[in-house]
Amino acid sequence: GQESPQPQSITITVGEGAELIVYSLFRDLGPQQRLVTISRDAKVSWVDIVLGSQELHSAVFLQGPGAEVEQRQLFLGGPEEKPAISTTISHEASHTRSTLLAKGILEGSAIGKVHGTVVVKPEAAGCSAQEKMNILLLSKEAKCDALPILDVANDDVQASHGAAIGHLDESHLFY
């Protein structure tokens, strides 16, 4: 059998009051892992573009009050490709905010996977968390497993999640 490649990892700590903006493009790099810790009143804006049969696993920890992350992900899969994205965002302090928006387009026999988990710890009062996934299937053979999960252990939060997967409506096509 063929061995799976070892994941490449990156660890980032964003200090108190800092702001980080990152744009990432992934294609044929082997599995990627990212660990991000965000301190008090710090903000991270991240845009990921995942092409082909790429795997991306992210874990974000909002550790200080006022910490914020906005993560936007776009994945594209062609025939027989298998893009896979998994993201966990953990609210570990009060008044933290997170937005996770994933959008995908799959064609041919592509099989996509996008999993997002937002965890709100008991001590994370007053936080806000939004998670949304939209996937467009361009063929009848294309498939996607979209799984938005909220794990909330505090009643004083605003949280929402949802996923939509659909085919292009041919009656709306024109030229």
Side-chain angles (χ1 to χ4, degrees):
Q2 190 176 18
E3 284 189 37
S4 297
Q6 289 296 315
Q8 296 179 10
S9 297
I10 184 171
T11 300
I12 298 172
T13 301
V14 182
E16 187 172 325
E19 184 172 352
L20 176 66
I21 300 171
V22 179
Y23 296 88
S24 303
L25 174 65
F26 299 97
R27 182 177 182 103
D28 300 327
L29 296 175
Q32 301 292 306
Q33 292 182 343
R34 177 170 56 212
L35 173 67
V36 181
T37 302
I38 305 173
S39 302
R40 173 187 294 271
D41 297 322
K43 180 179 179 181
V44 173
S45 296
W46 208 300
V47 176
D48 292 317
I49 299 173
V50 176
L51 304 174
S53 293
Q54 180 67 52
E55 289 182 45
L56 175 61
H57 306 281
S58 300
V60 178
F61 300 92
L62 300 167
Q63 288 191 333
E68 183 176 344
V69 65
E70 182 177 287
Q71 190 157 352
R72 298 178 186 278
Q73 301 166 328
L74 172 65
F75 62 95
L76 305 170
E80 300 181 20
E81 293 179 326
K82 297 179 180 180
I85 299 174
S86 67
T87 303
T88 300
I89 298 173
S90 183
H91 291 258
E92 300 182 350
S94 63
H95 304 288
T96 53
R97 291 180 35 167
S98 70
T99 302
L100 175 59
L101 176 61
K103 295 190 176 202
I105 301 173
L106 301 170
E107 68 173 339
S109 56
I111 300 173
K113 180 173 98 170
V114 58
H115 292 181
T117 302
V118 175
V119 177
V120 178
K121 301 282 184 166
E123 60 275 16
C127 72
S128 171
Q130 283 78 41
E131 182 177 11
K132 187 174 182 182
M133 301 170 180
N134 294 320
I135 295 90
L136 179 60
L137 305 176
L138 297 180
S139 70
K140 292 181 179 164
E141 297 81 27
K143 297 177 181 156
C144 189
D145 176 21
L147 187 60
I149 298 172
L150 286 177
D151 181 3
V152 179
N154 188 309
D155 292 335
D156 182 20
V157 299
Q158 293 181 358
S160 65
H161 69 297
I165 302 172
H167 290 89
L168 203 56
D169 185 345
E170 292 194 26
S171 68
H172 291 113
L173 296 177
F174 61 92
Y175 57 94

